[in-house]
Amino acid sequence: MSDPIDRMLDAAESGKSIIKNRESLHYSYKPPIILHRESELEQVTQSLLPILKQSRPSNLLVYGKPGTGKTLVVRRVIDKIQERVEKSDFPIKLIYTNSKEETTLYGLLVSLGRQLGLGEEELPNTGLAISEVFKRLLTKIRNGKLNAIFVIDEIDYLAQLVAKTGKDILYQLTRANERLEEGGSLTLVGISNDLTFKEKLDPRVISSLGEEEVVFTNYDVEQIKKILQERINESFIENSVNEPALNLIAALAGGEHGDARRAIDLLRVAGELAERQQSDKVTVEHVREASQKIEENKEEKSLKSFPLHEKLVLIAIMKANGSSTGEIYSSYKNLCKIVGKDELTQRRITQMLSEIELSGLISGRLIHQGIHGRTKKYKLTISSEMIKKSFKDELTLQDII
């Protein structure tokens, strides 16, 4: 009997590979042509044009749901400007950072500083006050008379960091030019997935951040189909994706809000599943399986990212005798004892339940209890298996799941 590993490796070597170019299925891939985004490309270019005429562009806010091509378009325009800058002697610095990937304000500012050319001696990785870090960025811009464009992707996360720390760096960034009068300039390009993003900001920030705005509309199912077709031609060998499979991917991704990134993810996972099963075509079944796999991965990732007490609350819901806030709290207190952690107050746990409910992993409903007032009952919307699987590697929790 042949070894199962050998069997798999033989199949991989001699087997059919229907994917010819994996890079073009990766989310960071920049396609040579950006489909269905002509007007957005024009508006973003128009907005940043002044920098080539040696004057400061307005701050720009780019909105749109996830997967509508915002980052792609902004980066394409920035790359094109960069090509021209290299040929001119006007000192322009184009800098990109994603605030979801930087978990602290300090980290985000250091990432901007490094791209401006500040080494670790001028800007250490830790230890300075936020205002000092900011001052050093501005000094670098002023001394080099640089005209900087800071692109901050997923700027909603930066706004959350600002709210948490109370350090209103957004206000300082939008006002930077008042401090740069002797030389240099700073333009901010914010990219946001949240259409209500502006409502959450300090009114002083709103007026200066949103000097210009570009809203990206959602792709429709037909447009997603064309984007997929283009990507299939680049990534798969000919005739290896069934028409019904393509239609289903477009329907699944277009049905939500026209998310092209989700469509390409589905295509990639379905293609990998088809290859693993030694199939020479991607079928509707592969797409359904891929969709389920992506959903499960998303839940698991979100469970793993919760802080310890949120995890304890989820396990408490799983184990409680009943599901009212009080019953969950006593289950939670019990778990804290077992793992040797100090419990949080019932008020904080009630608040936490509402926060977890927003993530969709639990659902709550109000129950009226006559003269006893009302209580909220919670239940998991995911399986307890999923919770056990996600938390099994966490030492603190091993004894209680």
Side-chain angles (χ1 to χ4, degrees):
M1 202 162 128
S2 71
D3 181 319
I5 297 175
D6 279 330
R7 268 210 312 277
M8 283 172 78
L9 296 175
D10 289 345
E13 274 183 350
S14 63
K16 319 175 194 62
S17 181
I18 53 176
I19 302 176
K20 62 178 182 188
N21 174 5
R22 286 171 203 279
E23 266 65 68
S24 54
L25 292 171
H26 195 263
Y27 73 91
S28 63
Y29 174 71
K30 297 176 184 170
I33 294 164
I34 301 176
L35 295 173
H36 312 300
R37 284 295 171 250
E38 291 75 10
S39 105
E40 288 86 349
L41 277 161
E42 272 172 29
Q43 289 173 55
V44 173
T45 307
Q46 200 65 47
S47 181
L48 297 178
L49 265 183
I51 197 115
L52 287 176
K53 301 199 171 93
Q54 312 207 349
S55 59
R56 185 187 96 79
S58 303
N59 289 327
L60 169 68
L61 256 187
V62 175
Y63 291 108
K65 293 268 180 70
T68 49
K70 305 179 297 298
T71 304
L72 204 55
V73 163
V74 171
R75 294 197 82 153
R76 169 65 48 88
V77 174
I78 294 278
D79 289 348
K80 289 277 187 202
I81 293 175
Q82 188 72 50
E83 285 168 19
R84 294 178 184 236
V85 166
E86 280 158 15
K87 298 179 191 131
S88 83
D89 53 3
F90 184 57
I92 297 175
K93 261 293 186 204
L94 304 164
I95 288 169
Y96 172 88
T97 182
N98 183 319
S99 52
K100 190 178 178 180
E101 287 160 16
E102 299 292 343
T103 46
T104 62
L105 265 184
Y106 199 100
L108 183 87
L109 291 173
V110 167
S111 139
L112 294 169
R114 292 283 175 267
Q115 295 179 66
L116 274 175
L118 284 167
E120 220 167 307
E121 279 181 6
E122 303 159 286
L123 184 59
N125 284 329
T126 53
L128 297 176
I130 293 283
S131 54
E132 178 58 30
V133 177
F134 191 66
K135 205 167 108 193
R136 292 185 188 191
L137 295 184
L138 292 189
T139 306
K140 179 77 178 171
I141 292 173
R142 191 185 300 116
N143 293 348
K145 293 197 171 16
L146 298 173
N147 296 279
I149 297 182
F150 283 1
V151 178
I152 302 182
D153 207 341
E154 306 212 51
I155 194 169
D156 346 33
Y157 284 89
L158 175 57
Q160 281 174 16
L161 285 176
V162 163
K164 266 188 208 153
T165 56
K167 306 255 190 296
D168 202 345
I169 206 72
L170 272 170
Y171 180 67
Q172 291 175 18
L173 280 167
T174 56
R175 286 280 185 274
N177 289 294
E178 294 161 16
R179 291 165 63 179
L180 284 172
E181 278 165 355
E182 309 92 88
S185 72
L186 174 60
T187 299
L188 210 55
V189 177
I191 304 177
S192 168
N193 288 329
D194 178 0
L195 301 174
T196 62
F197 166 66
K198 250 171 79 170
E199 296 160 17
K200 299 170 187 161
L201 296 177
D202 178 326
R204 299 171 309 169
V205 174
I206 293 176
S207 57
S208 47
L209 180 58
E211 293 173 334
E212 295 202 15
E213 294 183 3
V214 178
V215 178
F216 278 55
T217 52
N218 302 340
Y219 294 115
D220 61 33
V221 174
E222 274 314 300
Q223 291 175 325
I224 285 208
K225 222 172 129 176
K226 285 211 176 72
I227 292 170
L228 283 167
Q229 198 57 68
E230 191 74 24
R231 219 40 90 86
I232 288 169
N233 296 343
E234 283 178 52
S235 326
F236 285 82
I237 59 174
E238 224 174 317
N239 297 327
S240 53
V241 179
N242 264 349
E243 184 74 18
L246 167 63
N247 291 338
L248 180 58
I249 296 175
L252 285 171
E256 285 186 16
H257 65 245
D259 184 338
R261 193 180 305 159
R262 175 157 190 247
I264 290 161
D265 259 356
L266 270 170
L267 176 65
R268 177 180 56 79
V269 176
E272 286 166 357
L273 289 168
E275 274 198 337
R276 252 175 242 165
Q277 295 162 17
Q278 291 293 297
S279 167
D280 51 6
K281 272 193 191 313
V282 176
T283 64
V284 165
E285 281 65 44
H286 295 130
V287 175
R288 289 219 165 89
E289 209 178 315
S291 175
Q292 196 182 338
K293 197 173 165 189
I294 288 172
E295 259 335 287
E296 285 174 2
N297 285 353
K298 220 160 65 187
E299 286 168 357
E300 195 172 329
K301 212 166 157 186
S302 125
L303 284 166
K304 282 185 168 154
S305 69
F306 275 132
L308 178 67
H309 283 274
E310 265 97 336
K311 287 177 177 164
L312 289 169
V313 167
L314 282 162
I315 298 170
I317 298 173
M318 185 172 94
K319 290 182 173 288
N321 304 319
S323 55
S324 69
T325 314
E327 287 159 335
I328 292 167
Y329 186 63
S330 63
S331 169
Y332 157 79
K333 279 201 309 197
N334 197 18
L335 293 172
C336 285
K337 272 199 195 77
I338 301 172
V339 297
K341 296 281 173 203
D342 292 339
E343 67 215 35
L344 303 175
T345 62
Q346 180 155 3
R347 187 160 156 241
R348 178 66 191 104
I349 295 301
T350 307
Q351 206 181 346
M352 207 179 264
L353 283 164
S354 304
E355 288 162 12
I356 300 174
E357 187 182 1
L358 285 176
S359 73
L361 295 171
I362 61 174
S363 66
R365 59 196 183 99
L366 273 174
I367 308 283
H368 293 277
Q369 298 178 303
I371 53 168
H372 301 296
R374 49 189 201 169
T375 181
K376 201 161 183 187
K377 296 207 161 194
Y378 288 95
K379 63 172 200 285
L380 296 170
T381 58
I382 49 173
S383 67
S384 32
E385 287 317 305
M386 173 58 86
I387 289 187
K388 290 175 184 168
K389 183 179 160 203
S390 308
F391 297 165
K392 69 176 190 311
D393 298 330
E394 200 154 329
L395 286 173
T396 320
L397 305 174
Q398 280 174 354
D399 294 341
I400 56 176
I401 51 173

